[in-house]
Amino acid sequence: MNYLKVPLWLLPSPVAVAKALWRTRALLWTNTLTTVWETTTGFILSVALALVAGLAMVLSPLLKRLFYPLLIISQTVPLIAVAPLLILWLGYGLLPKIVTVILVCFFPVTISLIEGLEVSDPDLLNLLKSMGATRWQILYTVRWPNALPSLFAGLKIAATYSVMGAVIGEWLGASSGLGVYLTLSSHSFLTAQVFAAIFAITVLSLVYFVLIAGIRHLALPWLNTKDN
Amino acid sequence: MTLLLRDLSLTYRDYGSAGVNVLENINLEVPTSSFVSIIGPSGCGKSSLCNLIAGVEEPDRGEILLDGRSILGLAGQVGYMPQKDLLLPWRTLLDNVSLGCDIRRENKRESREKARLWLDRFGLGSFAGHYPQQLSGGMRQRGALLRTFLFGRTTLILDEPFGALDALTRRDMQEWLLDVWSQSDPTVVFITHDIEEAILLSDEIVVFSQRPARILARIALPFSRPRNPDLLLSPEALAVKKQLLGLLRGRP
């Protein structure tokens, strides 16, 4: 196997990674559960926040002028620079990790929601107005369903990023989680375990992605029909 | 319902200070249950007129009366159908046809029952559960027309509803429209740039001038109903066609 004489601690073979996965499965599982908890909570909270912020900014141009630039700027601040501050302010518990997840997820969901709400066909809005529809009726009969495909695109991005957010949060100080497992393994030169953690993170991200794709399939049935 | 337009004038001012005169002193009476077509060069302000009657825009001067009651700036009084079918992709045909009833907050079950009845009557019953993207252009247009019809009932403003269809489908749709119309006699204002379509469908044709639109001529059509597309070949129809072509070219 090891023709190039790469030492095992530098680049372990897939077999070694699989063995590490199996050997530390109990540990990996409890750490994964912590990360799942942080990610899911953070994700749901960021979606809720994004819905409120997105709707508010679409309904009020003033709010949009005030907060849209802030939203963009907030994304240019590197997460890795903010995370230690969060640990400093919020301690080593779950809260700072949930906040990092929100920082990662909030942006794509909000932006995709705003974009989606603002692209309705003007002729369609005109038709609804001619029927005497109120602002709210136009919002929930046209603009909201029209925004859903875009919103789900944002949710998919957020879902795959969310695990990364939690792991970065855990890196900087936590007692449990995939980020902790990753740091501990890396500091002990247990490279096979590092890859095992990467594997777990990837699988977890994929699970979230598939979950969102499944919800989209159920929630947007008109996009599943074959054109005639 | 009798639709009365009195001294309607409209100017768009957002193109700089001068403004663009779109409509100038339009006076028109559309009697109850009659079918009146408006024909004119493209860009002459026909669609603006529709927006005014539909209550989406307001004129600078003039009145719009429906059975003597002013509907100026009031939306929801007439059924308005634009050229695009504008069916909502996330609603099934049945739900699309009932859109107006939902906007009016009518009982959902009753409005669906009524819509299903109309879909059945006009051969769309088996497509009630289909989404618009699963339907052909002609079927979508029929759906849009039924939506307008179920919303407006007594007064319909149709803005080039068949403009985007191919000639065969369009002929089909014209006969279909006559069929729908004969079953409940709404008052119809029909915008078109197709002379034959206007002759085949209307009781009266109103010819608009270039912008700013004025009424150039009003031509009553004496043909009996129900109508058959063959009437387009009659000498009377050809005479009307010739007259219309002359008017539209600017030679009365």
Side-chain angles (χ1 to χ4, degrees), chain A residues 116-137:
Chain A
L117 285 172
E118 285 183 342
V119 296
S120 294
D121 182 349
D123 291 336
L124 197 50
L125 301 180
N126 205 37
L127 175 74
L128 269 279
K129 277 184 209 149
S130 84
M131 289 177 164
T134 62
R135 215 158 106 96
W136 286 106
Q137 285 182 317

Side-chain angles (χ1 to χ4, degrees), chain B residues 27-229:
Chain B
N27 280 290
L28 184 65
E29 189 187 341
V30 185
T32 307
S33 297
S34 65
F35 196 119
V36 172
S37 289
I38 295 176
I39 197 163
S42 47
C44 74
K46 291 171 291 188
S47 292
S48 300
L49 183 68
C50 290
N51 278 338
L52 292 181
I53 302 173
V56 183
E57 287 182 54
E58 289 200 39
D60 296 294
R61 269 185 299 118
E63 282 185 295
I64 303 173
L65 303 171
L66 194 61
D67 270 357
R69 194 172 55 92
S70 172
I71 56 161
L72 208 66
L74 282 181
Q77 307 297 310
V78 299
Y80 167 54
M81 176 179 176
Q83 182 175 347
K84 286 197 260 175
D85 61 67
L86 297 177
L87 296 177
L88 301 173
W90 47 86
R91 281 182 170 234
T92 59
L93 183 61
L94 183 71
D95 287 343
N96 260 303
V97 167
S98 327
L99 177 67
C101 307
D102 289 353
I103 296 297
R104 280 200 179 127
R105 300 196 172 86
E106 285 173 19
N107 180 295
K108 216 159 184 144
R109 228 194 40 189
E110 282 170 25
S111 70
R112 295 306 185 273
E113 256 169 46
K114 196 173 57 179
R116 196 174 283 279
L117 210 74
W118 280 92
L119 286 176
D120 283 340
R121 194 183 299 175
F122 291 101
L124 291 169
S126 51
F127 298 98
H130 283 54
Y131 288 105
Q133 59 269 34
Q134 297 170 294
L135 303 172
S136 69
M139 276 198 269
R140 295 168 62 126
Q141 217 63 22
R142 275 168 222 233
L145 197 59
L146 278 186
R147 177 188 63 200
T148 315
F149 184 70
L150 281 177
F151 180 79
R153 281 175 224 141
T154 50
T155 317
L156 309 182
I157 311 297
L158 311 178
D159 185 1
E160 294 187 27
F162 310 142
L165 299 174
D166 62 88
L168 276 177
T169 315
R170 188 186 301 188
R171 183 49 47 83
D172 236 27
M173 291 296 295
Q174 290 160 357
E175 284 176 41
W176 191 75
L177 175 60
L178 283 176
D179 197 13
V180 175
W181 184 68
S182 68
Q183 293 200 28
S184 67
D185 289 340
T187 307
V188 176
V189 175
F190 189 87
I191 311 279
T192 182
H193 50 231
D194 181 333
I195 291 176
E196 292 196 344
E197 182 170 82
I199 296 174
L200 178 62
L201 299 176
S202 330
D203 295 313
E204 184 180 1
I205 299 176
V206 178
V207 185
F208 270 28
S209 69
Q210 292 277 12
R211 208 154 66 184
R214 288 170 297 108
I215 292 179
L216 279 184
R218 299 176 61 169
I219 300 166
L221 297 161
F223 311 113
S224 63
R225 297 189 185 268
R227 289 187 183 172
N228 182 316

